Amino acid sequence: MKSTIFLRIASVLTFIHCVLHTVGGVLGSPKHGQEEITVIDMMKSHSFDMMGSMRSYWDFFFGYGIFVTITLFVQAVLFWQLSSIVKAYSAVIKPIILLFCLSFMVSAVVAWHYFFIGPAVTELLIALCLGATFATASSTRSI
């Protein structure tokens, strides 16, 4: 039962992270003055040929932001789905949970170093929930 709850908490936290990233990071507009607007305009103004397509740094920046949104949404749905079957298939699911736990731990370090505290703390909380899921899930197979 505990592993189910921890996975559902991880799912909800991941979904919240997805929504906040989308609203603040992908759809948000600059609020730090003219310097930020100038940087964004510069990112948009210079295009270059990338494997036969003309792209700008803004295209890459915006596209990667959308990738993060999609990935967080898929992870939130996956964690919810895994929470429904973790009791029956915990031995099979544990390595998957551990992989995602490690991924969120590394992502928290990257977010702390390159972004800011909000996503770092959220990713650390998700990693803790996944670690608790790993610790409380049974290691025996039951079908």
Side-chain angles (χ1 to χ4, degrees), residues 3 6-7 10 75 78-79 82 86 89-107 123-124 126-139:
S3 54
F6 286 129
L7 267 175
Q75 289 171 343
L78 177 66
F79 296 157
L82 289 175
V86 68
Y89 300 100
S90 59
V92 175
I93 292 173
K94 282 184 82 165
I96 297 167
I97 298 301
L98 182 60
L99 179 65
F100 277 106
C101 178
L102 295 173
S103 172
F104 273 97
M105 288 169 63
V106 171
S107 294
E123 289 164 4
L124 186 60
I126 295 166
L128 289 172
C129 287
L130 294 172
T133 300
F134 182 83
T136 59
S138 171
S139 294

Side-chain angles (χ1 to χ4, degrees), residues 43-62:
M43 288 174 71
K44 291 178 180 180
S45 67
H46 180 70
S47 294
F48 48 90
D49 185 346
M50 179 58 73
M51 297 183 183
S53 298
M54 294 303 290
R55 296 289 179 253
S56 67
Y57 281 107
W58 177 257
D59 293 331
F60 284 98
F61 179 80
F62 190 77

